[in-house]
């Protein structure tokens, strides 16, 4: 799918989050996400600056739809947990931005002007909601804000050279964008 179409869908997701949860998303977050749509679908991130005990750890990330509804449609999280009427009331304050190979997503807290990032894992979130976990809001905080994170994010080239080598994480999947298109088509009807 071409970058312009991705940007239209991502913008619609961001607007839907604002509408569904009644919370404004900073233009900084919107511009950062849309800028990354233009750069690449896959990224490498040296996470040792943000996660204690992960010295030298490089994570493979890809963009993910910034929508809890679409995350649930894809099976990443349960709708009864993350959707607007779900059990996780803090969903309004967090926006999914990137996913990693473990099934976790990197979220940004949109009601904090520092825009801190955190890991959200479906298992950890369910444990938090069941009262078995001590993580704040069910999100594992990272010691990094969105600006510093984006500086340390390195696009993975999709040129012929990288296409000939297998990757630990595939390009941004078409099924994510298809789910976004279906979701917005359903909302329009």
């Amino acid at each position: 799918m071409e970058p312009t179409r991705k940007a239209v869908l991502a913008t619609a997701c961001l607007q839907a989050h604002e509408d569904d949860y009644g919370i404004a998303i900073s233009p900084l977050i919107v511009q950062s996400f849309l800028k990354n749509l233009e750069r690449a679908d896959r990224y490498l991130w040296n996470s040792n600056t943000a996660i204690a005990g992960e010295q030298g750890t490089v994570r493979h990330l890809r963009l993910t739809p910034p929508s809890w509804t679409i995350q649930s449609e894809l099976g990443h999280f349960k709708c009864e947990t993350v959707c607007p009427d779900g059990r996780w009331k803090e969903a309004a304050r967090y926006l999914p931005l990137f996913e990693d190979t473990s099934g976790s997503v990197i979220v940004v807290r949109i009601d904090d002007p520092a825009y801190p990032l955190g890991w959200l894992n479906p298992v950890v979130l369910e444990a938090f909601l069941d009262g078995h976990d001590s993580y704040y809001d069910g999100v594992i905080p990272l010691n990094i804000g969105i600006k510093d994170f984006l500086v340390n994010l390195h696009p993975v080239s999709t040129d012929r050279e990288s296409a000939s080598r297998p990757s630990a994480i595939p390009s941004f999947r078409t099924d994510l964008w298809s789910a976004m298109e279906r979701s917005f088509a359903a909302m329009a009807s």
Side-chain angles (χ1 to χ4, degrees):
M1 182 176 293
E2 44 184 275
T4 341
R5 183 70 184 138
K6 288 180 187 178
V8 167
L9 290 169
T11 301
C13 282
L14 295 167
Q15 184 61 54
H17 187 91
E18 287 184 339
D19 295 344
D20 289 346
Y21 296 99
I23 190 167
I25 299 171
S26 163
L28 171 71
I29 295 171
V30 173
Q31 291 165 359
S32 298
F33 190 80
L34 295 177
K35 180 180 177 185
N36 279 296
L37 280 176
E38 296 170 7
R39 289 175 61 202
D41 291 330
R42 296 179 297 153
Y43 297 89
L44 295 176
W45 175 50
N46 185 346
S47 63
N48 67 346
T49 59
I51 305 172
E54 290 214 0
Q55 190 168 356
T57 301
V58 174
R59 294 201 179 253
H60 295 262
L61 304 175
R62 65 178 162 208
L63 291 165
T64 197
S67 162
W68 291 119
T69 302
I70 294 174
Q71 294 291 322
S72 70
E73 288 174 7
L74 293 168
H76 296 161
F77 295 89
K78 297 176 185 172
C79 190
E80 59 269 13
T81 301
V82 297
C83 288
D85 294 329
R87 293 181 3 187
W88 189 46
K89 301 305 177 199
E90 291 81 9
R93 299 185 306 148
Y94 291 94
L95 190 67
L97 297 177
F98 295 89
E99 64 180 275
D100 74 1
T101 54
S102 74
S104 298
V105 293
I106 292 181
V107 296
V108 61
R109 185 164 171 184
I110 60 177
D111 67 340
D112 180 333
Y115 307 118
L117 298 179
W119 287 109
L120 186 65
N121 178 284
V123 174
V124 172
L125 179 59
E126 290 298 325
F128 167 77
L129 292 170
D130 292 340
H132 303 295
D133 200 1
S134 61
Y135 289 115
Y136 181 72
D137 289 346
V139 175
I140 303 167
L142 299 176
N143 297 324
I144 194 166
I146 194 164
K147 287 181 182 178
D148 292 332
F149 172 77
L150 293 173
V151 167
N152 292 305
L153 202 59
H154 304 287
V156 174
S157 174
T158 56
D159 63 11
R160 212 175 301 158
E161 180 184 330
S162 66
S164 66
R165 286 180 275 134
S167 172
I169 190 165
S171 288
F172 197 93
R173 300 178 311 212
T174 306
D175 63 324
L176 297 177
W177 295 109
S178 298
M180 288 167 65
E181 286 186 303
R182 285 191 307 275
S183 184
F184 288 111
M187 283 192 269
S189 20

